[in-house]
């Protein structure tokens, strides 16, 4: 009488279901074993008090790192602010002011900040003496007319060495 109630489809379904459950149990056991190993390594030689001390020590270290990072950020901002007004771009052109004199004793020196503000100093060496002139540069331009060497020094400081002035 039992054979009338047993359906092969139901038996096969129960067998597959049991097999899937067995596989899931085995996978779970492997994962639990790996987790147990990690836990044992983590807790080896430690009791609750020493573990707490380790955690407190690491938290203190993290706080110190946060403070040091904030100090570094302040220092970087301070340096960046100072760098904005320092001379960072230079252009030097040496030339002969007089054709009779040799040695290129005259020169034009352009010194600019990051925002292209600064000055050009022109030193002209002649038989009678040495004369120096300074011209202010604002946003990469001079209010006064620049000589050929001064304009070349400015182009060099601006990184436009190959360009001709307008």
């Amino acid at each position: 009488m039992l054979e009338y109630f047993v359906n092969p489809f139901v038996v096969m379904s129960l067998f597959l279901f049991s097999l899937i459950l067995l596989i899931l149990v085995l996978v779970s056991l492997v994962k639990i074993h790996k987790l147990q190993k990690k836990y044992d390594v983590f807790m080896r030689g430690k009791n609750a008090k020493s573990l707490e001390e380790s955690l407190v020590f690491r938290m203190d270290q993290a706080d110190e790192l946060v403070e040091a990072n904030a100090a570094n950020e302040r220092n970087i901002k301070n340096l960046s602010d100072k760098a904005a007004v320092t001379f960072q771009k230079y252009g030097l052109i040496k030339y002969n002011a007089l054709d009779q004199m040799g040695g290129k004793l005259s020169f034009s020196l352009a010194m600019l900040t990051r925002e292209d503000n600064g000055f050009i100093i022109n030193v002209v060496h002649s038989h009678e003496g040495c004369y120096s002139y300074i011209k202010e540069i604002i946003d990469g331009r001079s209010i006064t007319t620049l000589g050929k060497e001064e304009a070349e020094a400015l182009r060099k400081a601006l990184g436009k060495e190959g360009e001709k002035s307008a």
Side-chain angles (χ1 to χ4, degrees), residues 20-97:
I20 291 171
L21 286 177
L22 179 66
I23 291 171
L24 289 175
V25 166
L26 290 175
V27 168
S28 296
L29 286 174
V30 169
K31 287 184 178 183
I32 288 172
H33 181 69
K34 286 181 181 179
L35 188 59
Q36 182 69 39
K37 281 172 119 179
K38 288 179 183 178
Y39 178 76
D40 289 342
V41 167
F42 180 70
M43 295 301 287
R44 187 173 298 137
K46 306 252 184 206
N47 58 26
K49 185 164 177 62
S50 63
L51 185 59
E52 180 183 3
E53 289 170 358
S54 294
L55 290 174
V56 167
F57 176 72
R58 295 295 180 210
M59 292 301 293
D60 289 342
Q61 281 183 325
D63 291 341
E64 290 171 7
L65 287 174
V66 167
E67 291 172 16
N69 186 48
N72 286 340
E73 287 176 354
R74 285 190 302 273
N75 289 337
I76 289 170
K77 183 181 180 334
N78 187 19
L79 288 173
S80 179
D81 291 345
K82 287 180 180 178
V85 295
T86 60
F87 294 117
Q88 300 177 9
K89 302 174 186 178
Y90 304 93
L92 176 65
I93 302 298
K94 292 180 72 175
Y95 64 96
N96 287 326

Side-chain angles (χ1 to χ4, degrees), residues 11 28 40 50 81 98 101 111 117 123 129 131 137 143 146-148 150 153 158:
V11 171
S28 296
D40 289 342
S50 63
D81 291 345
L98 303 172
M101 295 182 62
M111 298 178 71
N117 297 320
V123 176
Y131 304 96
I137 304 298
I143 297 171
L146 297 178
K148 181 179 104 177
E150 293 169 327
L158 291 170

